[in-house]
Amino acid sequence: RLPLACLVQDKILCVHGGIGDGTWKLDDLRTIPRPLVGEAITHPSNSWIFNILWSDPIEDGKDADPHVFGVHESPRGGVAAQFAW
């Protein structure tokens, strides 16, 4: 099982995606059911879990495309690939 987050020296929280709206607590991370199945991620009350795993920036506000969610083309373009393998 891969970790969903890591707390370094009780000071630095590392997550793969992002913190989302930040309304969750560290204890919430500890109670995420494992193995993590699709239903747990897609349930509306668990959108914070999805943000921890994947949180690529998307347009916000009135110009936002309501159909853009989850895996999508990055607004950063090819520039992010220069750091990839």
Side-chain angles (χ1 to χ4, degrees):
R1 296 180 186 175
L2 294 174
L4 299 176
C6 177
L7 187 60
V8 180
Q9 293 186 347
D10 290 323
K11 295 180 183 180
I12 302 167
L13 177 64
C14 300
V15 294
H16 176 76
I19 60 169
D21 62 9
T23 58
W24 48 270
K25 307 274 188 247
L26 288 178
D27 282 336
D28 296 329
L29 288 174
R30 294 179 181 107
T31 62
I32 295 174
R34 303 297 292 279
L36 188 57
V37 294
E39 295 83 29
I41 298 172
T42 57
H43 193 275
S45 67
N46 291 335
S47 62
W48 65 277
I49 297 173
F50 191 91
N51 286 327
I52 288 170
L53 297 173
W54 183 266
S55 191
D56 211 12
I58 60 173
E59 193 66 40
D60 242 351
K62 65 179 170 107
D63 298 325
D65 181 348
H67 300 98
V68 174
F69 182 77
V71 179
H72 58 275
E73 186 174 329
S74 174
R76 290 176 265 181
V79 112
Q82 70 184 352
F83 297 106
W85 297 18

